[in-house]
Amino acid sequence: MITSIIVLIMLSTIALLFRIKVRDYMGRLNRNWSIVRSARMFSDNDYLGQDAFYLSYFKRIPSKNYIGSIGIEKAFRFIQEKYDAAIVDVFTSSSYYRLKERQETDKIVIIMKKKIMVTLDCTWVDIFFPAKEKQWADQLVEELNDFQLPPKEEEYEISIITSNSRGLFLKRVPLTPYTLDLELFYNDDFAGLDRVIKDRLSKQNDKGIVLLHGLPGTGKTTYLRHLAASLPKRVMFVSPSAAANLMSPDLMNILLDNPNSILVIEDAENIMMNRKYNSDSSVSNLLNISDGLLSDCLNVQILCTFNCPLDLIDPALMRKGRLIARYEFGKLAADKAQALSDHLGFKTHIDRPMTIAEVTRQNDAPENAREKDVIGFRRRDILMS
């Protein structure tokens, strides 16, 4: 009997200790999960998740104003100067950009009196406020509109359409200044078409599409770099995967915020494929933006490059009135290839047509190629489509 009682007491003690351990473990697990959940709520995978941050900070759901395509550093300086007395706290996130050799602020969260929060993020501004402060928030939108991003901040730059947790936005990237001798790098029939392309793409409130195609290595990307630096408009590069859904709300917001711009899509075969060959083709999206009802609202011109044969491209893209220009980049004629070779310092004799890439990398001499700069890019960089 005594032995049984002792065993029962021991088992009860073990069970009690086990329950205490489990309770302690679950408590620590819940605390850790609470920390993780809070971190997720506040960071939103992109520094401060503004909606959740406002809700936690002010314990209320806000109204919100939005304005896009804004230079956030200039807008921030304006808010600091005019509303300094109302600013309670400021949180910032910055990144160092090696291409520009400087650090830039890419997100700013400003906490203000009267339960107001202003978030400046990449190229847009969100203003969170109680309903009774709507008049003040509307006034701030009008004031910040003066800091709209210009088509170009620098003479040599392009805009890359990229994304973060908030969606798509424009990232401005500087180009290396250079001059391109079209007579030297391209066949004789190209200079006239270049003038047509530049004249139309420089025109305000215009639309249409430019198609550039041909073999890899024939200089399409070289020309794009030259063209982007030559135009007064904003030139926006979008990846083929993003371009497949041109009508998405995020991308449409960018186009609406940047009228009179040029949208460049490289390697665009998949989205231009003739619809009788590819039911997933996004040709209808290109048609709507280049010459449809939307084109009258956006005034965005489109430039596409591709390598596939022209007969695989949907013929609707080449209809008169929609097509600005089309050019097939081919091999340089033997005399043109010889002239380019001589210009680059090679001592070879050329008696056949060659692509730009073949001329710049002839003799398979990569070490020599690294030492020579060609139109602002190293020779190894000239091997573009």
Side-chain angles (χ1 to χ4, degrees):
M1 178 68 71
I2 294 175
T3 302
S4 299
I5 293 173
I6 293 173
V7 170
L8 287 173
I9 292 173
M10 291 177 62
L11 290 173
S12 298
T13 302
I14 292 171
L16 179 62
L17 291 173
F18 179 75
R19 284 198 299 271
I20 292 173
K21 286 288 186 182
V22 169
R23 186 173 58 192
D24 181 59
Y25 172 77
M26 293 302 296
R28 283 187 283 113
L29 185 63
N30 288 334
R31 286 195 298 273
N32 290 339
W33 173 244
S34 178
I35 292 171
V36 171
R37 184 172 54 190
S38 298
R40 287 179 177 174
M41 179 178 70
F42 291 129
S43 69
D44 195 25
N45 296 320
D46 185 28
Y47 188 48
L48 290 176
Q50 50 189 11
D51 303 75
F53 185 76
Y54 185 97
L55 183 62
S56 175
Y57 196 100
F58 293 112
K59 304 297 188 290
R60 64 184 301 160
I61 297 174
S63 299
K64 184 171 78 169
N65 282 354
Y66 164 87
I67 181 170
S69 193
I70 295 295
I72 66 170
E73 291 188 337
K74 292 180 180 178
F76 178 49
R77 286 196 293 270
F78 168 80
I79 294 172
Q80 280 183 309
E81 292 172 5
K82 183 168 182 179
Y83 298 103
D84 179 64
I87 295 176
V88 176
D89 211 343
V90 176
F91 307 90
T92 64
S93 173
S94 301
S95 302
Y96 183 81
Y97 294 95
R98 290 188 176 86
L99 285 172
K100 297 183 179 181
E101 296 184 343
R102 67 173 183 259
Q103 181 168 278
E104 291 187 357
T105 302
D106 46 35
K107 187 164 185 176
I108 306 167
V109 179
I110 308 169
I111 303 297
M112 306 180 74
K113 295 177 181 178
K114 298 183 179 180
K115 294 183 172 59
I116 293 168
M117 185 176 86
V118 180
T119 300
L120 303 100
D121 191 346
C122 298
T123 59
W124 57 76
V125 180
D126 285 319
I127 304 165
F128 298 84
F129 56 93
K132 64 181 180 180
E133 300 297 336
K134 179 168 175 52
Q135 184 176 354
W136 181 91
D138 292 344
Q139 176 187 326
L140 184 58
V141 168
E142 293 181 8
E143 293 171 335
L144 295 184
N145 191 52
D146 291 338
F147 304 102
Q148 269 199 339
L149 290 171
K152 287 187 175 182
E153 289 183 337
E154 301 177 19
E155 182 178 2
Y156 297 99
E157 73 168 27
I158 58 174
S159 298
I160 308 296
I161 298 179
T162 184
S163 65
N164 62 14
S165 62
R166 284 286 310 277
L168 299 178
F169 67 97
L170 289 181
K171 177 74 73 175
R172 296 188 173 208
V173 179
L175 288 174
T176 304
Y178 68 95
T179 57
L180 175 61
D181 187 339
L182 297 177
E183 302 259 345
L184 181 64
F185 279 84
Y186 296 96
N187 286 314
D188 294 337
D189 63 340
F190 185 62
L193 191 72
D194 166 68
R195 288 191 292 271
V196 171
I197 292 173
K198 288 176 181 173
D199 286 347
R200 281 292 303 274
L201 295 187
S202 298
K203 187 177 179 181
Q204 294 294 308
N205 300 317
D206 199 4
K207 55 190 177 182
I209 188 167
V210 176
L211 302 179
L212 304 178
H213 62 106
L215 296 171
T218 51
K220 296 188 294 296
T221 301
T222 298
Y223 179 65
L224 284 183
R225 289 169 177 161
H226 164 74
L227 191 61
S230 304
L231 297 171
K233 294 182 179 180
R234 178 176 293 120
V235 179
M236 304 182 296
F237 278 71
V238 61
S239 69
S241 58
N245 194 11
L246 283 174
M247 308 301 289
S248 69
D250 282 349
L251 194 47
M252 192 56 58
N253 277 335
I254 288 181
L255 298 180
L256 288 168
D257 283 341
N258 296 277
N260 279 307
S261 296
I262 298 159
L263 187 67
V264 176
I265 310 169
E266 289 193 273
D267 302 317
E269 288 90 342
N270 288 340
I271 68 169
M272 302 173 63
M273 193 72 68
N274 194 318
R275 285 166 286 187
K276 71 179 181 181
Y277 301 134
N278 182 5
S279 59
D280 294 330
S281 176
S282 301
V283 169
S284 58
N285 293 338
L286 287 175
L287 299 179
N288 285 333
I289 293 176
S290 63
D291 193 36
L293 180 61
L294 279 174
S295 66
D296 295 329
C297 307
L298 300 174
N299 291 316
V300 172
Q301 295 162 312
I302 300 174
L303 191 155
C304 296
T305 69
F306 55 96
N307 298 329
C308 71
L310 190 63
D311 56 7
L312 294 180
I313 301 302
D314 198 293
L317 294 169
M318 293 177 278
R319 286 177 187 162
K320 186 177 180 180
R322 175 178 293 123
L323 186 66
I324 294 173
R326 174 177 64 83
Y327 185 78
E328 181 176 5
F329 289 79
K331 293 185 177 184
L332 292 173
D335 60 327
K336 301 286 289 188
Q338 183 69 67
L340 178 57
S341 178
D342 295 343
H343 173 78
L344 298 176
F346 291 108
K347 303 300 181 182
T348 54
H349 172 68
I350 297 177
D351 57 3
R352 62 181 178 86
M354 297 177 68
T355 66
I356 292 177
E358 289 172 333
V359 174
T360 58
R361 288 192 176 179
Q362 61 183 304
N363 298 338
D364 193 24
E367 293 302 321
N368 292 336
R370 291 191 190 99
E371 296 173 1
K372 289 182 177 288
D373 284 337
V374 181
I375 60 169
F377 300 91
R378 291 183 179 179
R379 187 170 293 153
R380 68 171 179 265
D381 294 330
I382 207 76
L383 268 192
M384 72 305 292
S385 305

